[in-house]
Amino acid sequence: SRESSTMLLAIAASALAPRLALRAAPGASPHAASCVRMTAPEEFDYLVIGGGSGGIASARRAAAHGARACVIERSRLGGTCVNVGCVPKKVMFNAATVLEMIHQSEGYGISVGGASFDMKAIKAKRDAYVTRLNGIYANNLANSDVTFVEGDARFTGPKTVAVGDRTLTGKSVLIAVGGRPSVPDIPGAAELGITSDGFFELDSVPDRVAVIGSGYIAVELAGILQVLGSKVDLFIRGATPLRSMESDVVERLVGEMEAAGISIVRGEAEAISGDAASKTVVLKDGKGEHGGYGQVLFATGREPVTGSLDLPAAGVETAPSGHIVVDAASRTSSEGVYALGDVIGRIDLTPTAIAAGRLLSDRLFGGASEADTLMDYDFVPTVVFSHPPLAVCGLTEAEAIARHGPDAVAVHKSTWVNMLYSREFLVDGQHMPKTFAKLVCVGPEQRVVGLHMIGLAVDEILQGFALAMKMGATKADFDSVVAIHPTSSEELVTIPPWQAKYSLRPDAYTPSYEEEPVPAKAR
């Protein structure tokens, strides 16, 4: 009967009411609410997992094209670069550079008495700077109408992720979660060692530091710590650090590091022993022990942060290293799912992730063709903020020979003293650093395919020359530029033989004002 039906509906409504109320109640626990999770997934055109530089750049470019974009990040916005990478590292590089200038100030008639370095003070200022950048990134997302979701994303399907009790889907999904420092699986490493992340937690300068690693992070932190007052030993497995870079500049870097007081120890660590106050590095193959370190800093590589994503649920293939496998167009093995940045293990640099992310969004949402939006990983300028800095772009001499053959490769070199370090302006006992540049050219037109430098200010010089190389500049193009004098950059457009397009004799050479004349054959 109608009365019976009405009574049954009333009973059912009465039974459901507490559960519906629980779902709506602000204070309800996630566990209780999960019993009745019936809300529809939040849908976006573009779902970006990872709020680092690459992910944010890609999301904002997508939004600029009119896409409804969302960024998911579980930690501070800005990723490694802003929080524990290039930005705070450059702050510390700057601090060390200022201290170097103070040490030399008397050479320029400036007396600076009682100068000291306060690690705790610079840490407070650096942390405040990073916090401000976090806020700028958040504001940029809001100003671009990009939705920000804070939390840990986990795939529940090819284009669907769960973040807490929320479900989000995207017509296209980008994985840009970055990486983190790895620590070797040896006794004592995890308990007694720190990584580059831990370096930024230091509030005092250790008396002695063992830096283990041969990549750019190891070299940079070793140089910074040495200038700031630590006695640094750099442990490397091979003959030299930075083995993938041009050997001529690396050889000079090693010489400059040793002149600054850094000891290069060749050997592989098999254990770390000791306690918080004093640590010892034990080397393999009976190569001995080195002890008395206040800190042991591992810079032995990085690994992708993909463990919590549940990539198999999305059908995303990974390499044995854990990096996500992608094609030239940033596509993963799962249709509509893309990856870029450190998580693919190609070139782990912030600007490459930013460029790749913007190109991807231009293709997905801006109507650009695939051919016009493939990331070009050739001629990527790179700087190592060592002391002194090292700047490279393009092929090494060995790479050029392997690709083009020895007969097609020509090399031009120059070594000089930056005016800042001319002998008249040095203080007693100060080492005179030299600047070095090497051009690697190919073909009869001598197209410049490699530029490798070390010395003061090369980090600021490289960008413009990288643009010229990208546009196919030749040695004759370099020679045709009027030099800016007196600068270090002028040396790149005056490397002999000058004006090769006018058939200047190959053995012709005119020394710069800082050099003694050297016969061509001796050079």
Side-chain angles (χ1 to χ4, degrees):
S1 68
R2 176 177 295 180
E3 291 78 13
S4 299
S5 298
T6 301
M7 184 176 295
L8 288 172
L9 287 171
I11 294 171
S14 176
L16 285 171
R19 298 175 72 182
L20 292 172
L22 177 63
R23 175 177 153 192
S29 72
H31 176 74
S34 68
C35 297
V36 291
R37 187 188 300 152
M38 299 173 65
T39 56
E42 300 171 59
E43 298 179 354
F44 296 91
D45 298 318
Y46 198 36
L47 196 58
V48 178
I49 305 172
S53 300
I56 288 177
S58 191
R60 294 185 67 204
R61 181 64 67 92
H65 288 307
R68 186 168 182 242
C70 173
V71 168
I72 305 169
E73 173 56 55
R74 66 183 180 183
S75 187
R76 294 178 290 174
L77 287 173
T80 295
C81 178
V82 168
N83 295 290
V84 287
C86 30
V87 169
K89 181 270 306 288
K90 185 65 182 289
V91 171
M92 301 309 294
F93 172 86
N94 288 343
T97 300
V98 170
L99 197 55
E100 287 179 317
M101 294 296 101
I102 291 174
H103 289 163
Q104 194 190 343
S105 62
E106 288 188 7
Y108 281 87
I110 302 169
S111 297
V112 180
S116 62
F117 175 71
D118 187 338
M119 185 74 131
K120 188 173 292 185
I122 190 62
K123 181 181 185 303
K125 292 177 179 292
R126 188 192 68 220
D127 291 350
Y129 177 49
V130 169
T131 299
R132 181 163 64 87
L133 292 179
N134 297 147
I136 290 173
Y137 271 87
N139 290 336
N140 286 343
L141 287 177
N143 293 338
S144 298
D145 291 327
V146 175
T147 300
F148 172 51
V149 175
E150 186 174 4
D152 205 357
R154 176 179 56 84
F155 278 102
T156 58
K159 296 182 182 180
T160 304
V161 300
V163 182
D165 60 357
R166 300 172 67 174
T167 300
L168 303 95
T169 66
K171 295 176 183 177
S172 297
V173 177
L174 172 64
I175 304 170
V177 293
R180 64 187 169 204
S182 59
V183 176
D185 185 17
I186 60 174
E191 299 81 7
L192 296 172
I194 62 173
T195 65
S196 55
D197 288 2
F199 168 79
F200 295 114
E201 296 300 320
L202 297 176
D203 58 9
S204 62
V205 179
D207 290 336
R208 295 195 66 209
V209 180
V211 177
I212 300 177
S214 59
Y216 72 93
I217 296 175
V219 167
E220 290 174 337
L221 298 186
I224 290 169
L225 284 164
Q226 181 73 25
V227 174
L228 295 183
S230 295
K231 176 63 184 75
V232 177
D233 292 345
L234 177 64
F235 289 78
I236 60 176
R237 290 187 298 179
T240 66
L242 304 173
R243 291 188 294 274
S244 65
M245 292 191 173
E246 174 58 53
S247 59
D248 278 348
V249 293
V250 172
E251 178 183 335
R252 285 164 172 79
L253 175 62
V254 169
E256 295 289 349
M257 294 177 73
E258 290 178 332
I262 296 174
S263 298
I264 309 293
V265 181
R266 293 168 176 83
E268 184 175 357
E270 69 173 6
I272 309 299
S273 62
D275 52 34
S278 181
K279 305 167 183 66
T280 296
V281 178
V282 182
L283 298 179
K284 286 184 177 180
D285 304 321
K287 292 186 176 180
E289 300 181 354
H290 298 258
Y293 299 113
Q295 294 289 347
V296 175
L297 193 158
F298 286 97
T300 50
R302 295 177 63 81
E303 59 190 14
V305 188
T306 56
S308 63
L309 291 178
D310 195 2
L311 293 177
V316 174
E317 180 185 350
T318 59
S321 63
H323 292 98
I324 295 176
V325 177
V326 296
D327 65 7
S330 301
R331 287 182 287 252
T332 71
S333 56
S334 180
E335 184 178 356
V337 180
Y338 305 85
L340 53 82
D342 292 9
V343 78
I344 68 171
R346 189 71 185 270
I347 296 181
D348 292 357
L349 295 173
T350 295
T352 61
I354 291 173
R358 288 173 175 164
L359 288 169
L360 177 62
S361 290
D362 287 345
R363 181 169 77 249
L364 294 178
F365 306 106
S369 69
E370 180 170 313
D372 290 337
T373 55
L374 296 180
M375 178 62 192
D376 183 1
Y377 290 97
D378 287 333
F379 298 110
V380 173
T382 303
V383 167
V384 179
F385 287 101
S386 48
H387 286 267
L390 183 153
V392 302
C393 182
L395 303 178
T396 66
E397 181 180 357
E399 289 169 340
I401 291 172
R403 184 176 298 189
H404 300 281
D407 294 338
V409 177
V411 172
H412 308 280
K413 306 177 185 180
S414 182
T415 305
W416 67 97
V417 176
N418 187 291
M419 183 185 288
L420 180 74
Y421 299 125
S422 292
R423 62 175 61 90
E424 291 81 5
F425 309 115
L426 298 180
V427 297
D428 292 342
Q430 183 181 354
H431 168 67
M432 178 190 286
K434 293 185 178 181
T435 305
F436 169 82
K438 178 176 183 176
L439 297 179
V440 180
C441 305
V442 298
E445 75 285 3
Q446 291 207 35
R447 181 189 175 195
V448 182
V449 297
L451 172 55
H452 310 275
M453 300 182 287
I454 179 173
L456 180 68
V458 299
D459 49 324
E460 298 291 349
I461 293 172
L462 181 62
Q463 189 79 72
F465 285 97
L467 172 61
M469 293 170 63
K470 194 82 171 178
M471 297 176 69
T474 64
K475 175 67 166 61
D477 291 326
F478 274 45
D479 294 340
S480 70
V481 178
V482 175
I484 304 171
H485 181 73
T487 65
S488 280
S489 58
E490 70 178 304
E491 295 286 341
L492 297 178
V493 299
T494 57
I495 296 178
W498 302 329
Q499 295 294 340
K501 62 184 177 183
Y502 298 133
S503 299
L504 190 70
R505 290 183 298 107
D507 61 344
Y509 170 70
T510 302
S512 70
Y513 67 92
E514 283 288 356
E515 295 180 89
E516 297 295 330
V518 180
K521 290 183 179 180
R523 291 175 59 84

